[in-house]
PDB file of all heavy atoms in Angstrom:
ATOM      1  N   TRP A   1      -1.078  -6.801   7.300  1.00  0.00           N
ATOM      2  CA  TRP A   1      -1.102  -5.445   7.837  1.00  0.00           C
ATOM      3  C   TRP A   1      -0.387  -5.386   9.192  1.00  0.00           C
ATOM      4  O   TRP A   1       0.426  -4.486   9.454  1.00  0.00           O
ATOM      5  CB  TRP A   1      -2.551  -4.989   7.987  1.00  0.00           C
ATOM      6  CG  TRP A   1      -2.719  -3.489   7.972  1.00  0.00           C
ATOM      7  CD1 TRP A   1      -1.903  -2.558   8.538  1.00  0.00           C
ATOM      8  CD2 TRP A   1      -3.767  -2.761   7.331  1.00  0.00           C
ATOM      9  NE1 TRP A   1      -2.378  -1.302   8.313  1.00  0.00           N
ATOM     10  CE2 TRP A   1      -3.519  -1.397   7.564  1.00  0.00           C
ATOM     11  CE3 TRP A   1      -4.895  -3.140   6.592  1.00  0.00           C
ATOM     12  CZ2 TRP A   1      -4.369  -0.406   7.090  1.00  0.00           C
ATOM     13  CZ3 TRP A   1      -5.733  -2.155   6.121  1.00  0.00           C
ATOM     14  CH2 TRP A   1      -5.459  -0.797   6.362  1.00  0.00           C
ATOM     15  N   ALA A   2      -0.661  -6.366  10.047  1.00  0.00           N
ATOM     16  CA  ALA A   2      -0.064  -6.365  11.380  1.00  0.00           C
ATOM     17  C   ALA A   2       1.453  -6.516  11.308  1.00  0.00           C
ATOM     18  O   ALA A   2       2.192  -5.848  12.045  1.00  0.00           O
ATOM     19  CB  ALA A   2      -0.666  -7.496  12.219  1.00  0.00           C
ATOM     20  N   VAL A   3       1.938  -7.366  10.414  1.00  0.00           N
ATOM     21  CA  VAL A   3       3.383  -7.591  10.297  1.00  0.00           C
ATOM     22  C   VAL A   3       4.085  -6.327   9.798  1.00  0.00           C
ATOM     23  O   VAL A   3       5.146  -5.939  10.315  1.00  0.00           O
ATOM     24  CB  VAL A   3       3.661  -8.778   9.354  1.00  0.00           C
ATOM     25  CG1 VAL A   3       5.150  -8.846   9.012  1.00  0.00           C
ATOM     26  CG2 VAL A   3       3.211 -10.078   9.994  1.00  0.00           C
ATOM     27  N   VAL A   4       3.500  -5.661   8.796  1.00  0.00           N
ATOM     28  CA  VAL A   4       4.117  -4.447   8.263  1.00  0.00           C
ATOM     29  C   VAL A   4       4.158  -3.350   9.318  1.00  0.00           C
ATOM     30  O   VAL A   4       5.176  -2.659   9.494  1.00  0.00           O
ATOM     31  CB  VAL A   4       3.363  -3.963   7.006  1.00  0.00           C
ATOM     32  CG1 VAL A   4       3.917  -2.620   6.540  1.00  0.00           C
ATOM     33  CG2 VAL A   4       3.476  -4.988   5.888  1.00  0.00           C
ATOM     34  N   VAL A   5       3.052  -3.200  10.047  1.00  0.00           N
ATOM     35  CA  VAL A   5       3.002  -2.170  11.091  1.00  0.00           C
ATOM     36  C   VAL A   5       3.968  -2.515  12.221  1.00  0.00           C
ATOM     37  O   VAL A   5       4.673  -1.642  12.759  1.00  0.00           O
ATOM     38  CB  VAL A   5       1.565  -2.024  11.625  1.00  0.00           C
ATOM     39  CG1 VAL A   5       1.538  -1.114  12.852  1.00  0.00           C
ATOM     40  CG2 VAL A   5       0.651  -1.472  10.537  1.00  0.00           C
ATOM     41  N   ARG A   6       4.021  -3.785  12.586  1.00  0.00           N
ATOM     42  CA  ARG A   6       4.875  -4.218  13.683  1.00  0.00           C
ATOM     43  C   ARG A   6       6.355  -4.016  13.365  1.00  0.00           C
ATOM     44  O   ARG A   6       7.135  -3.572  14.212  1.00  0.00           O
ATOM     45  CB  ARG A   6       4.598  -5.702  13.959  1.00  0.00           C
ATOM     46  CG  ARG A   6       5.450  -6.330  15.039  1.00  0.00           C
ATOM     47  CD  ARG A   6       4.967  -5.961  16.414  1.00  0.00           C
ATOM     48  NE  ARG A   6       5.706  -6.671  17.456  1.00  0.00           N
ATOM     49  CZ  ARG A   6       5.498  -6.502  18.739  1.00  0.00           C
ATOM     50  NH1 ARG A   6       4.570  -5.633  19.153  1.00  0.00           N
ATOM     51  NH2 ARG A   6       6.195  -7.170  19.625  1.00  0.00           N
ATOM     52  N   THR A   7       6.746  -4.353  12.134  1.00  0.00           N
ATOM     53  CA  THR A   7       8.155  -4.237  11.745  1.00  0.00           C
ATOM     54  C   THR A   7       8.531  -2.830  11.301  1.00  0.00           C
ATOM     55  O   THR A   7       9.720  -2.552  11.112  1.00  0.00           O
ATOM     56  CB  THR A   7       8.471  -5.220  10.597  1.00  0.00           C
ATOM     57  OG1 THR A   7       7.600  -4.940   9.482  1.00  0.00           O
ATOM     58  CG2 THR A   7       8.261  -6.654  11.047  1.00  0.00           C
ATOM     59  N   GLU A   8       7.528  -1.977  11.109  1.00  0.00           N
ATOM     60  CA  GLU A   8       7.751  -0.600  10.650  1.00  0.00           C
ATOM     61  C   GLU A   8       8.601  -0.578   9.384  1.00  0.00           C
ATOM     62  O   GLU A   8       9.543   0.204   9.247  1.00  0.00           O
ATOM     63  CB  GLU A   8       8.415   0.234  11.751  1.00  0.00           C
ATOM     64  CG  GLU A   8       7.560   0.359  13.009  1.00  0.00           C
ATOM     65  CD  GLU A   8       8.233   1.198  14.075  1.00  0.00           C
ATOM     66  OE1 GLU A   8       9.423   1.544  13.903  1.00  0.00           O
ATOM     67  OE2 GLU A   8       7.577   1.520  15.087  1.00  0.00           O
ATOM     68  N   SER A   9       8.227  -1.452   8.453  1.00  0.00           N
ATOM     69  CA  SER A   9       8.983  -1.572   7.204  1.00  0.00           C
ATOM     70  C   SER A   9       8.844  -0.297   6.376  1.00  0.00           C
ATOM     71  O   SER A   9       7.730   0.157   6.105  1.00  0.00           O
ATOM     72  CB  SER A   9       8.473  -2.769   6.392  1.00  0.00           C
ATOM     73  OG  SER A   9       9.081  -2.794   5.119  1.00  0.00           O
ATOM     74  N   PRO A  10       9.964   0.301   5.961  1.00  0.00           N
ATOM     75  CA  PRO A  10       9.899   1.510   5.129  1.00  0.00           C
ATOM     76  C   PRO A  10       9.652   1.210   3.651  1.00  0.00           C
ATOM     77  O   PRO A  10       9.407   2.123   2.872  1.00  0.00           O
ATOM     78  CB  PRO A  10      11.275   2.148   5.334  1.00  0.00           C
ATOM     79  CG  PRO A  10      12.181   0.969   5.547  1.00  0.00           C
ATOM     80  CD  PRO A  10      11.362  -0.055   6.297  1.00  0.00           C
ATOM     81  N   ILE A  11       9.752  -0.056   3.276  1.00  0.00           N
ATOM     82  CA  ILE A  11       9.640  -0.430   1.865  1.00  0.00           C
ATOM     83  C   ILE A  11       8.352  -1.194   1.592  1.00  0.00           C
ATOM     84  O   ILE A  11       7.586  -0.830   0.711  1.00  0.00           O
ATOM     85  CB  ILE A  11      10.864  -1.266   1.423  1.00  0.00           C
ATOM     86  CG1 ILE A  11      12.150  -0.442   1.559  1.00  0.00           C
ATOM     87  CG2 ILE A  11      10.692  -1.759  -0.007  1.00  0.00           C
ATOM     88  CD1 ILE A  11      13.405  -1.216   1.209  1.00  0.00           C
ATOM     89  N   PHE A  12       8.121  -2.253   2.355  1.00  0.00           N
ATOM     90  CA  PHE A  12       6.974  -3.104   2.068  1.00  0.00           C
ATOM     91  C   PHE A  12       5.680  -2.379   2.436  1.00  0.00           C
ATOM     92  O   PHE A  12       5.555  -1.852   3.539  1.00  0.00           O
ATOM     93  CB  PHE A  12       7.071  -4.425   2.832  1.00  0.00           C
ATOM     94  CG  PHE A  12       6.265  -5.524   2.211  1.00  0.00           C
ATOM     95  CD1 PHE A  12       6.747  -6.211   1.116  1.00  0.00           C
ATOM     96  CD2 PHE A  12       5.009  -5.859   2.699  1.00  0.00           C
ATOM     97  CE1 PHE A  12       6.010  -7.219   0.520  1.00  0.00           C
ATOM     98  CE2 PHE A  12       4.265  -6.859   2.113  1.00  0.00           C
ATOM     99  CZ  PHE A  12       4.765  -7.547   1.022  1.00  0.00           C
ATOM    100  N   PRO A  13       4.688  -2.349   1.546  1.00  0.00           N
ATOM    101  CA  PRO A  13       3.492  -1.541   1.780  1.00  0.00           C
ATOM    102  C   PRO A  13       2.446  -2.256   2.626  1.00  0.00           C
ATOM    103  O   PRO A  13       2.431  -3.489   2.728  1.00  0.00           O
ATOM    104  CB  PRO A  13       2.956  -1.324   0.354  1.00  0.00           C
ATOM    105  CG  PRO A  13       3.351  -2.578  -0.355  1.00  0.00           C
ATOM    106  CD  PRO A  13       4.693  -2.978   0.214  1.00  0.00           C
ATOM    107  N   THR A  14       1.573  -1.480   3.215  1.00  0.00           N
ATOM    108  CA  THR A  14       0.396  -2.019   3.886  1.00  0.00           C
ATOM    109  C   THR A  14      -0.689  -2.299   2.844  1.00  0.00           C
ATOM    110  O   THR A  14      -0.619  -1.791   1.716  1.00  0.00           O
ATOM    111  CB  THR A  14      -0.152  -1.018   4.916  1.00  0.00           C
ATOM    112  OG1 THR A  14      -0.597   0.162   4.217  1.00  0.00           O
ATOM    113  CG2 THR A  14       0.901  -0.652   5.946  1.00  0.00           C
ATOM    114  N   PRO A  15      -1.698  -3.078   3.191  1.00  0.00           N
ATOM    115  CA  PRO A  15      -2.791  -3.305   2.248  1.00  0.00           C
ATOM    116  C   PRO A  15      -3.447  -2.008   1.767  1.00  0.00           C
ATOM    117  O   PRO A  15      -3.834  -1.904   0.598  1.00  0.00           O
ATOM    118  CB  PRO A  15      -3.768  -4.172   3.043  1.00  0.00           C
ATOM    119  CG  PRO A  15      -2.908  -4.897   4.012  1.00  0.00           C
ATOM    120  CD  PRO A  15      -1.832  -3.930   4.389  1.00  0.00           C
ATOM    121  N   TRP A  16      -3.580  -1.014   2.657  1.00  0.00           N
ATOM    122  CA  TRP A  16      -4.214   0.231   2.253  1.00  0.00           C
ATOM    123  C   TRP A  16      -3.362   0.993   1.236  1.00  0.00           C
ATOM    124  O   TRP A  16      -3.883   1.604   0.302  1.00  0.00           O
ATOM    125  CB  TRP A  16      -4.491   1.109   3.465  1.00  0.00           C
ATOM    126  CG  TRP A  16      -5.161   2.411   3.102  1.00  0.00           C
ATOM    127  CD1 TRP A  16      -4.655   3.663   3.217  1.00  0.00           C
ATOM    128  CD2 TRP A  16      -6.471   2.556   2.541  1.00  0.00           C
ATOM    129  NE1 TRP A  16      -5.549   4.592   2.766  1.00  0.00           N
ATOM    130  CE2 TRP A  16      -6.684   3.942   2.338  1.00  0.00           C
ATOM    131  CE3 TRP A  16      -7.478   1.657   2.170  1.00  0.00           C
ATOM    132  CZ2 TRP A  16      -7.859   4.438   1.799  1.00  0.00           C
ATOM    133  CZ3 TRP A  16      -8.658   2.148   1.643  1.00  0.00           C
ATOM    134  CH2 TRP A  16      -8.842   3.530   1.456  1.00  0.00           C
ATOM    135  N   GLN A  17      -2.046   0.951   1.394  1.00  0.00           N
ATOM    136  CA  GLN A  17      -1.168   1.593   0.429  1.00  0.00           C
ATOM    137  C   GLN A  17      -1.285   0.920  -0.945  1.00  0.00           C
ATOM    138  O   GLN A  17      -1.204   1.589  -1.979  1.00  0.00           O
ATOM    139  CB  GLN A  17       0.287   1.547   0.925  1.00  0.00           C
ATOM    140  CG  GLN A  17       0.554   2.458   2.107  1.00  0.00           C
ATOM    141  CD  GLN A  17       1.943   2.257   2.673  1.00  0.00           C
ATOM    142  OE1 GLN A  17       2.436   1.126   2.740  1.00  0.00           O
ATOM    143  NE2 GLN A  17       2.586   3.339   3.082  1.00  0.00           N
ATOM    144  N   VAL A  18      -1.480  -0.391  -0.950  1.00  0.00           N
ATOM    145  CA  VAL A  18      -1.688  -1.106  -2.206  1.00  0.00           C
ATOM    146  C   VAL A  18      -2.995  -0.667  -2.859  1.00  0.00           C
ATOM    147  O   VAL A  18      -3.057  -0.459  -4.077  1.00  0.00           O
ATOM    148  CB  VAL A  18      -1.686  -2.627  -1.963  1.00  0.00           C
ATOM    149  CG1 VAL A  18      -2.088  -3.376  -3.227  1.00  0.00           C
ATOM    150  CG2 VAL A  18      -0.314  -3.099  -1.495  1.00  0.00           C
ATOM    151  N   VAL A  19      -4.033  -0.502  -2.043  1.00  0.00           N
ATOM    152  CA  VAL A  19      -5.330  -0.057  -2.574  1.00  0.00           C
ATOM    153  C   VAL A  19      -5.210   1.337  -3.172  1.00  0.00           C
ATOM    154  O   VAL A  19      -5.685   1.600  -4.286  1.00  0.00           O
ATOM    155  CB  VAL A  19      -6.402  -0.090  -1.469  1.00  0.00           C
ATOM    156  CG1 VAL A  19      -7.687   0.582  -1.957  1.00  0.00           C
ATOM    157  CG2 VAL A  19      -6.690  -1.523  -1.054  1.00  0.00           C
ATOM    158  N   THR A  20      -4.570   2.244  -2.454  1.00  0.00           N
ATOM    159  CA  THR A  20      -4.431   3.614  -2.963  1.00  0.00           C
ATOM    160  C   THR A  20      -3.566   3.660  -4.218  1.00  0.00           C
ATOM    161  O   THR A  20      -3.826   4.441  -5.143  1.00  0.00           O
ATOM    162  CB  THR A  20      -3.838   4.533  -1.881  1.00  0.00           C
ATOM    163  OG1 THR A  20      -2.579   3.990  -1.429  1.00  0.00           O
ATOM    164  CG2 THR A  20      -4.784   4.654  -0.697  1.00  0.00           C
ATOM    165  N   GLY A  21      -2.525   2.820  -4.277  1.00  0.00           N
ATOM    166  CA  GLY A  21      -1.698   2.753  -5.481  1.00  0.00           C
ATOM    167  C   GLY A  21      -2.484   2.239  -6.676  1.00  0.00           C
ATOM    168  O   GLY A  21      -2.336   2.753  -7.794  1.00  0.00           O
ATOM    169  N   THR A  22      -3.330   1.244  -6.435  1.00  0.00           N
ATOM    170  CA  THR A  22      -4.163   0.714  -7.512  1.00  0.00           C
ATOM    171  C   THR A  22      -5.132   1.773  -8.024  1.00  0.00           C
ATOM    172  O   THR A  22      -5.316   1.938  -9.240  1.00  0.00           O
ATOM    173  CB  THR A  22      -4.954  -0.511  -7.021  1.00  0.00           C
ATOM    174  OG1 THR A  22      -4.050  -1.491  -6.495  1.00  0.00           O
ATOM    175  CG2 THR A  22      -5.758  -1.127  -8.154  1.00  0.00           C
ATOM    176  N   LEU A  23      -5.744   2.511  -7.104  1.00  0.00           N
ATOM    177  CA  LEU A  23      -6.666   3.579  -7.504  1.00  0.00           C
ATOM    178  C   LEU A  23      -5.940   4.672  -8.285  1.00  0.00           C
ATOM    179  O   LEU A  23      -6.495   5.241  -9.233  1.00  0.00           O
ATOM    180  CB  LEU A  23      -7.343   4.174  -6.266  1.00  0.00           C
ATOM    181  CG  LEU A  23      -8.298   3.238  -5.510  1.00  0.00           C
ATOM    182  CD1 LEU A  23      -8.819   3.918  -4.259  1.00  0.00           C
ATOM    183  CD2 LEU A  23      -9.459   2.816  -6.412  1.00  0.00           C
ATOM    184  N   GLU A  24      -4.724   4.925  -7.899  1.00  0.00           N
ATOM    185  CA  GLU A  24      -3.923   5.927  -8.611  1.00  0.00           C
ATOM    186  C   GLU A  24      -3.705   5.519 -10.068  1.00  0.00           C
ATOM    187  O   GLU A  24      -3.858   6.332 -10.989  1.00  0.00           O
ATOM    188  CB  GLU A  24      -2.584   6.077  -7.895  1.00  0.00           C
ATOM    189  CG  GLU A  24      -1.588   6.993  -8.583  1.00  0.00           C
ATOM    190  CD  GLU A  24      -0.225   6.970  -7.900  1.00  0.00           C
ATOM    191  OE1 GLU A  24      -0.169   6.727  -6.681  1.00  0.00           O
ATOM    192  OE2 GLU A  24       0.778   7.182  -8.597  1.00  0.00           O
ATOM    193  N   LEU A  25      -3.366   4.259 -10.277  1.00  0.00           N
ATOM    194  CA  LEU A  25      -3.166   3.771 -11.641  1.00  0.00           C
ATOM    195  C   LEU A  25      -4.475   3.729 -12.424  1.00  0.00           C
ATOM    196  O   LEU A  25      -4.501   4.010 -13.622  1.00  0.00           O
ATOM    197  CB  LEU A  25      -2.549   2.374 -11.612  1.00  0.00           C
ATOM    198  CG  LEU A  25      -1.098   2.259 -11.144  1.00  0.00           C
ATOM    199  CD1 LEU A  25      -0.678   0.803 -11.116  1.00  0.00           C
ATOM    200  CD2 LEU A  25      -0.170   3.050 -12.060  1.00  0.00           C
ATOM    201  N   ALA A  26      -5.550   3.356 -11.743  1.00  0.00           N
ATOM    202  CA  ALA A  26      -6.848   3.264 -12.418  1.00  0.00           C
ATOM    203  C   ALA A  26      -7.350   4.637 -12.845  1.00  0.00           C
ATOM    204  O   ALA A  26      -7.934   4.794 -13.922  1.00  0.00           O
ATOM    205  CB  ALA A  26      -7.860   2.584 -11.503  1.00  0.00           C
ATOM    206  N   GLU A  27      -7.115   5.655 -12.017  1.00  0.00           N
ATOM    207  CA  GLU A  27      -7.627   6.995 -12.317  1.00  0.00           C
ATOM    208  C   GLU A  27      -6.937   7.623 -13.519  1.00  0.00           C
ATOM    209  O   GLU A  27      -7.577   8.314 -14.321  1.00  0.00           O
ATOM    210  CB  GLU A  27      -7.470   7.892 -11.088  1.00  0.00           C
ATOM    211  CG  GLU A  27      -8.447   7.547  -9.967  1.00  0.00           C
ATOM    212  CD  GLU A  27      -8.189   8.356  -8.715  1.00  0.00           C
ATOM    213  OE1 GLU A  27      -7.214   9.147  -8.706  1.00  0.00           O
ATOM    214  OE2 GLU A  27      -8.933   8.188  -7.731  1.00  0.00           O
ATOM    215  N   ASP A  28      -5.629   7.378 -13.661  1.00  0.00           N
ATOM    216  CA  ASP A  28      -4.945   7.986 -14.808  1.00  0.00           C
ATOM    217  C   ASP A  28      -4.963   7.101 -16.057  1.00  0.00           C
ATOM    218  O   ASP A  28      -4.393   7.448 -17.096  1.00  0.00           O
ATOM    219  CB  ASP A  28      -3.500   8.364 -14.455  1.00  0.00           C
ATOM    220  CG  ASP A  28      -2.628   7.154 -14.112  1.00  0.00           C
ATOM    221  OD1 ASP A  28      -3.028   6.019 -14.436  1.00  0.00           O
ATOM    222  OD2 ASP A  28      -1.543   7.352 -13.549  1.00  0.00           O
ATOM    223  N   GLY A  29      -5.621   5.930 -15.955  1.00  0.00           N
ATOM    224  CA  GLY A  29      -5.779   5.060 -17.122  1.00  0.00           C
ATOM    225  C   GLY A  29      -4.628   4.116 -17.385  1.00  0.00           C
ATOM    226  O   GLY A  29      -4.726   3.261 -18.275  1.00  0.00           O
ATOM    227  N   THR A  30      -3.529   4.254 -16.632  1.00  0.00           N
ATOM    228  CA  THR A  30      -2.363   3.399 -16.871  1.00  0.00           C
ATOM    229  C   THR A  30      -2.672   1.930 -16.643  1.00  0.00           C
ATOM    230  O   THR A  30      -2.249   1.059 -17.416  1.00  0.00           O
ATOM    231  CB  THR A  30      -1.204   3.833 -15.949  1.00  0.00           C
ATOM    232  OG1 THR A  30      -0.916   5.208 -16.168  1.00  0.00           O
ATOM    233  CG2 THR A  30       0.045   3.004 -16.229  1.00  0.00           C
ATOM    234  N   LEU A  31      -3.421   1.654 -15.588  1.00  0.00           N
ATOM    235  CA  LEU A  31      -3.731   0.266 -15.236  1.00  0.00           C
ATOM    236  C   LEU A  31      -4.471  -0.433 -16.373  1.00  0.00           C
ATOM    237  O   LEU A  31      -4.136  -1.557 -16.751  1.00  0.00           O
ATOM    238  CB  LEU A  31      -4.556   0.231 -13.962  1.00  0.00           C
ATOM    239  CG  LEU A  31      -5.007  -1.147 -13.482  1.00  0.00           C
ATOM    240  CD1 LEU A  31      -3.808  -2.016 -13.159  1.00  0.00           C
ATOM    241  CD2 LEU A  31      -5.925  -1.020 -12.267  1.00  0.00           C
TER     242      LEU A  31
END
């Protein structure tokens, strides 16, 4: 998390973005 925030990467996600993406897939059944 610290490295992503520090580098302000526009592509690589933070841990929270990964969590929200996982929930998104789980909610629509795709996962």
Side-chain angles (χ1 to χ4, degrees):
W1 204 322
V3 169
V4 174
V5 171
R6 178 78 174 178
T7 58
E8 298 181 351
S9 173
I11 298 177
F12 202 80
T14 64
W16 181 246
Q17 289 173 322
V18 172
V19 171
T20 56
T22 304
L23 293 176
E24 175 187 331
L25 290 177
E27 288 175 357
D28 64 16
T30 303
L31 178 62

